[in-house]
Amino acid sequence: MNEGQRPGTAEAARLVEPSRVAAPSDTWMYLDGRMVRYSEARIGLLTHALHYGTACFEGLRAYWNPDLGQLFVRHAARHFERLERSSAFLGITPPLDVPRLVALTLELLRRNEIRADAYIRPILFTASEVLNPAMEGLSRSFAVYVTPFGRHADAAVGTRCMVSSVRKIPLASIPASAKITGTYVNAALAKSEARRHGFDEAIQLTGEGRVCEGSIANLFMFRNGAFATPPLSDGILDGITRYSLLQLIPGELGVGVAERSIDPNELYNCDELLLCGTGMEVLAVTEVDGHQVGDGRVGRMTAQLQQRYRQAVRGYSPRYRDWLTAVYEGAG
Ligand code: PMP
């Protein structure tokens, strides 16, 4: 769906989502030091990580700039630095340092000849085939998959959210800063609950009842002339898109942004609300639990942020060019 079309219903937004990608069997992947076809990259059914959720992963996006004939990976090093931090928590180490992880990602995009918006999924997992959750002495595997990838949802329409009954996992159980696969049962339950109740997305609360984040996205609220977003101490993932918005809001919109706890009641009478993440990009929340946010359409601040964000990630803003790594040599 192109930007000019405004179907006007959340149902229509759902049609361009979810981002289910059929992996063509001949896609090139990276697996444990080799480039292999997707059809050759197989793991055993007793793989430890499949049973115990002991893997960590990342989700990166690359954006095609047709004017420059260039593909840009957004915040490549930051994603792999986060992977390193997640893996340290699990006690496993990526096989390569961050610059080499970035380099292999670029190589994989080139090998697949991707000249379109793309998604990149690195995953580091305990690979030994054992029936025991203990992690000592296990082997590990590392894989990267890339695929052409469009929009998560129609940004012109926005998304309808439900405050989920599924609370976030307490920080003392699994740190929110680690992107560990087992943790995502929590996201899956919250998102499925929202879908069952006719909403698009879930907003989750901390165990204590403060606003935390979406199932796979961070949250910003615009109220009384300023933005607010929950702090890391409220158990959010240290989102890379959140970090970008913390730069764009004061730098491009000239308004304030506070990292502070948000009470769920504030969601029902704020002026604008948005979810942000690598996959979701910047998405307006137009409704929470049946309460309209603002006038029920994408708000003015959110629309401006979407525009600035899109320009930055596609390589049209010199000011934010350092967010990007070019894939093709010789192009712009
Ligand atoms: N929170 C959670 C729980 C997520 O899974 C994601 C997606 N990685 C985000 C927030 C957004 O983070 P990022 O902007 O780094 O994609």
Side-chain angles (χ1 to χ4, degrees), residues 164 166 185-195 201-202 204 215:
S164 179
V166 181
V185 173
N186 184 260
L189 291 174
K191 176 124 181 174
S192 305
E193 181 195 42
R195 293 297 180 101
E201 303 287 344
Q204 292 188 260
S215 61

Side-chain angles (χ1 to χ4, degrees), residues 267-282:
L267 301 178
Y268 302 127
N269 57 14
C270 63
D271 301 316
E272 297 187 33
L273 197 60
L274 66 87
L275 292 174
C276 69
T278 303
M280 215 173 268
E281 304 180 287
V282 181

Side-chain angles (χ1 to χ4, degrees), residues 29-286:
M29 287 191 65
Y30 175 91
L31 178 62
D32 293 330
R34 292 191 309 134
M35 294 290 182
V36 294
R37 300 283 189 182
Y38 180 78
S39 55
E40 296 160 359
R42 290 286 169 254
I43 59 166
L45 270 174
L46 290 183
T47 300
H48 185 269
L50 177 64
H51 295 249
Y52 304 113
T54 43
C56 54
F57 68 108
E58 275 301 321
L60 296 79
R61 260 191 194 266
Y63 289 90
W64 178 243
N65 181 317
D67 298 312
L68 299 175
Q70 183 58 277
L71 185 64
F72 290 113
V73 182
R74 188 208 66 151
H75 285 310
R78 270 185 176 268
H79 277 281
F80 287 115
E81 283 158 11
R82 189 167 66 187
L83 185 79
E84 271 188 346
R85 289 197 298 275
S86 302
S87 70
F89 178 72
L90 286 177
I92 51 180
T93 341
L96 301 167
D97 62 14
V98 169
R100 289 198 181 90
L101 291 169
V102 173
L104 94 81
T105 301
L106 304 185
E107 189 192 332
L108 195 55
L109 289 162
R110 287 193 290 263
R111 186 179 270 245
N112 281 295
E113 296 177 48
I114 294 187
R115 292 175 189 276
D117 291 357
Y119 189 78
I120 301 144
R121 168 54 56 84
I123 183 162
L124 175 68
F125 57 100
T126 51
S128 300
E129 298 187 46
V130 288
L131 290 174
N132 184 332
M135 292 181 63
E136 289 72 35
L138 300 184
S139 65
R140 54 114 169 88
S141 276
F142 178 66
V144 186
Y145 171 72
V146 301
T147 181
F149 194 80
R151 289 255 182 88
H152 173 91
D154 190 339
V157 175
T159 188
R160 296 167 52 249
C161 291
M162 152 182 195
V163 175
S164 179
S165 70
V166 181
R167 299 260 169 121
K168 279 279 166 179
I169 296 170
L171 280 175
S173 299
I174 305 177
S177 55
K179 215 170 148 53
I180 291 173
T181 56
T183 313
Y184 279 78
V185 173
N186 184 260
L189 291 174
K191 176 124 181 174
S192 305
E193 181 195 42
R195 293 297 180 101
R196 270 200 317 279
H197 288 84
F199 295 92
D200 303 315
E201 303 287 344
I203 294 174
Q204 292 188 260
L205 307 181
T206 66
E208 298 75 31
R210 294 189 290 276
V211 173
C212 187
E213 59 184 345
S215 61
I216 52 158
N218 292 116
L219 174 144
F220 283 76
M221 175 183 80
F222 185 68
R223 192 163 183 260
N224 298 334
F227 277 95
T229 189
L232 297 183
S233 53
D234 276 347
I236 61 167
L237 182 77
D238 189 0
I240 289 167
T241 318
R242 175 182 182 272
Y243 160 83
S244 301
L245 295 198
L246 287 174
Q247 280 181 275
L248 287 178
I249 290 170
E252 299 293 317
L253 272 51
V255 299
V257 53
E259 293 180 70
R260 67 154 175 93
S261 293
I262 296 178
D263 185 275
N265 287 312
E266 295 183 80
L267 301 178
Y268 302 127
N269 57 14
C270 63
D271 301 316
E272 297 187 33
L273 197 60
L274 66 87
L275 292 174
C276 69
T278 303
M280 215 173 268
E281 304 180 287
V282 181
L283 195 57
V285 177
T286 53

